[in-house]
Amino acid sequence: MKPQRKAGPRTRALGAVAVCGALALTACGANGGSAPSPRPSAPSPSPSAAAGTIACGKAATLRASGSTAQQYAMKYWITTYTRACAGTKIAYDGNGSGAGQDDFLHGRTAFAGSDSPLDADQVKQSEKVCADGGRAIHLPIVGGPIAVAFHLPGVDRLVLDAPTLAKIFNGRITRWDDPAIAGLNKDAKLPATPIRTFHRSDSSGTTDNFTAYLAATARDAWPYPHAKEWPAQGGGSAKGSADLAAQVQRTTGGIGYVELPYAVDRMLRTVSVATGAATPADANVIAASHAIAGARTVNTGHDVILDLDYGTKVPGAYPIDVVTYEIVCDKGNKPETWPATKAFLAYMASQKGQQNLTFQGYATLPAKVVDAVRREIGTLS
C-alpha cells in the first residue's frame, strides 16, 4: 500500500454523477450497469454572491500546472475565484502530474497539482525554489475514482477483479471471452473480440495510482511497482486522460483507466470492481468517498498525506481512487504572487470551494483532512 505523497464539452455533464452525490446511491451514473447519462453543468457562480464570500488576495497573474484529475474542478474554481477577485488571472495547464511537478521545481509555476507526491530527492530540490529555508509540501484538495472504461458493444455491465485487471493490462488475458472474465460475468454474452488496452504515455499520477492499486492487490499477476510512467509492455498509449478516453471510445474491445469525468464525457461504460465485498463496487463519487474515508492520514511537518487502502472490502467502497495534492512551499513562496496564491488555495479548500465538486465528478475528502488543509494554508508564507 503506497502512501499518497503521492474533453468533452462541459454541457454534456455529470447528471448521473450529480444524482449519485445528491441521493447517495452506490450504483448509478457511469457504472458498469448502465451507460453514463448526460449531465448538467455545475451551478454557475454568481459574481455578487461570490464576491461576498471569497477573500481575495492582492491581484496577480498566477500560472499553475499538473494533474489532469483535477482539471474540471480547477476550471470551476478559477471561474468562480476570478469573477469575485477582479484583476487576478489564473492559468492552469493540465499537462500531467509529472510535468506539473517539473514546472514547479523549476520555478515556472506558483503551485503544482499532482496525484502523486514528490519523492525525497524532489523535496530536496524544492529547497532551491522555496526561499527562506522553505521546502515543498503537499495539501490534498480533491479526490475521485479512477474509472476503468471499456467499449464492448452488447455488454452493458462488466465486473472485473484485481487479478483479472492486472492480467488484462499485463497482456496475459487477450480476448473478452477469456474464462477468467466469463467467470465473473456469468450472465453476460462476451464476444471473442481481442482486448485492446490503453495507458497514459505521459508521466501521470493517474498511472501511479492505478499501478499502485494493481501492485497492492494483484502481486502475482502484476510484477511491477507503482510508477508515474507505464511499466508494462504492449498496449496503446495516449497523452492525457482526454485523449485516452477518446482512444477507448473509438476502439471496439478497448479498455483504459481515466478519471471518472473523462469517462462520463465520452459516454463510456465503466467496470464494476469485485473487491471481496458482497457486491462489486461501481465507479461513482459516493463509492470513492467511502473508500477515501478509510485512508490513513500521515502528517509530516506541514504535509497532509493520505495513505489509501487499495485492498478495502468495505461494502460500497470503490478501491481505485486518486487524491490530488496542491504542491506549494511551506515558506519562501514567490512574494509577488503569494498573496493571490494563498487566497486561491484558501478558497479551494473552503466550504464554498468544496461544496459543488460532486457536480464535477469528484469524491468528498474526509472532513478532518479538509480541516487540516485549511489550518496548514493559514500557516504558509
Side-chain angles (χ1 to χ4, degrees):
M1 185 167 57
K2 170 179 85 75
Q4 295 301 296
R5 294 192 46 111
K6 325 190 160 191
R10 295 304 293 159
T11 54
R12 188 193 300 161
L14 280 168
V17 175
V19 170
C20 285
L23 302 182
L25 300 179
T26 58
C28 58
N31 63 30
S34 62
S37 302
R39 68 173 183 258
S41 298
S44 297
S46 164
S48 59
T53 57
I54 295 176
C56 302
K58 181 181 177 182
T61 297
L62 306 182
R63 180 171 178 251
S65 65
S67 165
T68 60
Q70 71 171 9
Q71 195 160 6
Y72 288 135
M74 188 62 71
K75 181 178 179 180
Y76 174 75
W77 285 325
I78 290 173
T79 299
T80 307
Y81 184 87
T82 54
R83 283 183 181 178
C85 302
T88 294
K89 297 180 179 179
I90 305 171
Y92 182 81
D93 181 6
N95 55 359
S97 295
Q101 291 177 353
D102 189 64
D103 284 340
F104 178 78
L105 292 174
H106 286 84
R108 294 189 286 263
T109 53
F111 65 93
S114 179
D115 312 325
S116 297
L118 301 173
D119 61 30
D121 288 341
Q122 289 175 309
V123 172
K124 182 67 176 176
Q125 183 182 347
S126 73
E127 295 174 2
K128 298 179 181 178
V129 176
C130 304
D132 304 323
R135 57 179 285 276
I137 61 166
H138 307 81
L139 301 173
I141 203 72
V142 73
I146 298 174
V148 182
F150 68 96
H151 178 193
L152 196 59
V155 178
D156 294 330
R157 179 175 174 81
L158 184 67
V159 176
L160 298 173
D161 58 14
T164 306
L165 277 168
K167 291 174 184 176
I168 287 172
F169 281 93
N170 199 22
R172 291 170 56 184
I173 293 177
T174 60
R175 298 176 72 89
W176 281 109
D177 60 352
D178 186 278
I181 301 176
L184 293 165
N185 299 272
K186 298 185 184 301
D187 296 329
K189 294 182 179 179
L190 297 167
T193 305
I195 295 174
R196 295 283 307 279
T197 62
F198 291 94
H199 58 268
R200 290 277 292 271
S201 61
D202 51 327
S203 181
S204 161
T206 309
T207 297
D208 198 16
N209 283 271
F210 183 63
T211 57
Y213 164 76
L214 296 177
T217 58
R219 291 186 180 89
D220 291 341
W222 189 258
Y224 312 102
H226 70 85
K228 292 192 291 291
E229 291 76 26
W230 184 251
Q233 299 298 312
S237 64
K239 183 177 181 180
S241 292
D243 286 346
L244 196 153
Q247 291 275 32
V248 173
Q249 183 188 41
R250 68 172 64 105
T251 305
T252 299
I255 186 171
Y257 57 92
V258 293
E259 299 87 348
L260 180 61
Y262 295 94
V264 174
D265 269 357
R266 290 285 176 176
M267 305 296 286
L268 292 168
R269 300 185 188 279
T270 62
V271 167
S272 299
V273 178
T275 64
T279 57
D282 298 317
N284 62 53
V285 294
I286 297 301
S289 293
H290 284 328
I292 294 172
R296 184 172 63 97
T297 304
V298 181
N299 294 78
T300 306
H302 290 290
D303 273 321
V304 182
I305 306 299
L306 293 185
D307 185 1
L308 296 177
D309 181 7
Y310 295 110
T312 181
K313 293 179 174 60
V314 173
Y318 182 78
I320 316 175
D321 301 303
V322 60
V323 172
T324 292
Y325 300 88
E326 307 309 330
I327 299 176
V328 296
C329 300
D330 59 356
K331 58 182 176 179
N333 289 279
K334 293 181 175 62
E336 64 274 16
T337 58
W338 178 238
T341 301
K342 185 172 184 177
F344 184 54
L345 293 173
Y347 157 67
M348 290 162 61
S350 71
Q351 183 177 357
K352 182 176 180 63
Q354 294 282 310
Q355 67 186 359
N356 286 322
L357 292 183
T358 55
F359 286 91
Q360 303 293 319
Y362 296 101
T364 303
L365 295 182
K368 64 180 181 180
V369 173
V370 179
D371 288 343
V373 169
R374 292 168 182 164
R375 288 194 299 271
E376 291 302 338
I377 290 172
T379 69
L380 305 180
S381 61

